[in-house]
Amino acid sequence: MEKVINTLRSICHQLPNELNNVPQSLLLDRPEGKWSKLEILGHLCDSAMVNIQRFVRAQADVPPRISYDQDRFVAIQQYQSYDMQELVTLWHSLNKHLLHLALHADKDTWSKIYIGSHNEELTLEYLFTDYVDHLQHHVKQIID
């Protein structure tokens, strides 16, 4: 888990600065049928919020089921019209909180069970690793 935690730490440190180098026009450009880079960042905020709830509730409740409709969430929250710096701040705060949760998790936490969208049992270790992989995928879409 240390490698995955360090990856999240590194992204939290680097991404805000890298986003300052992306011209506003590129952030707002929306290819047909796809999200803009700003909307991708908003989606990453949604993903962080959902995963924070999964992480906390899997430790506090009977194995929870938390799902979300990513396209609908992005549309409802109107990320395309969000101020870029405010969205970066939101993303950074959410991910720093997720990093805080990971850093303070005891070893038993990582084996806690979460019920996936297809009723599969997933460990928090799997969910956290999958989250960071997902984050890396979308960061490349924004920065490249």
Side-chain angles (χ1 to χ4, degrees):
M1 283 313 306
E2 187 175 336
K3 181 180 177 187
V4 178
I5 290 171
N6 285 336
T7 298
L8 180 57
R9 180 184 287 122
S10 177
I11 293 170
C12 284
H13 179 73
Q14 294 174 3
L15 185 61
N17 294 328
E18 290 179 9
L19 285 170
N20 288 330
N21 297 324
V22 179
Q24 185 78 15
S25 61
L26 286 179
L27 288 171
L28 294 173
D29 182 47
R30 185 189 284 152
E32 189 172 330
K34 296 188 178 192
W35 291 332
S36 69
K37 292 176 184 296
L38 199 60
E39 288 172 317
I40 293 170
L41 184 60
H43 163 68
L44 290 175
C45 291
D46 291 341
S47 182
M49 286 186 269
V50 167
N51 279 286
I52 288 167
Q53 284 300 302
R54 288 173 174 163
F55 202 85
V56 171
R57 291 182 63 194
Q59 294 176 75
D61 297 340
V62 173
R65 263 184 97 169
I66 303 169
S67 62
Y68 74 107
D69 180 337
Q70 63 185 17
D71 292 321
R72 191 160 183 215
F73 275 36
V74 167
I76 289 169
Q77 295 178 82
Q78 296 292 308
Y79 288 123
Q80 184 71 357
S81 63
Y82 223 101
D83 176 81
M84 197 253 318
Q85 288 303 321
E86 289 180 12
L87 194 57
V88 170
T89 299
L90 176 61
W91 174 88
H92 190 251
S93 295
L94 290 166
N95 279 276
K96 290 291 280 189
H97 182 61
L98 195 52
L99 181 61
H100 173 81
L101 290 171
L103 288 169
H104 291 88
D106 61 43
K107 65 178 181 165
D108 295 334
T109 296
W110 298 109
S111 61
K112 298 275 184 183
I113 298 297
Y114 170 80
I115 305 299
S117 56
H118 302 291
N119 290 324
E120 71 274 34
E121 291 187 356
L122 306 169
T123 64
L124 287 182
E125 180 175 2
Y126 171 83
L127 285 172
F128 187 77
T129 301
D130 186 61
Y131 171 77
V132 173
D133 289 345
H134 172 256
L135 177 61
Q136 287 178 298
H137 166 75
H138 284 303
V139 165
K140 287 179 184 174
Q141 288 179 317
I142 296 170
I143 300 302
D144 290 343

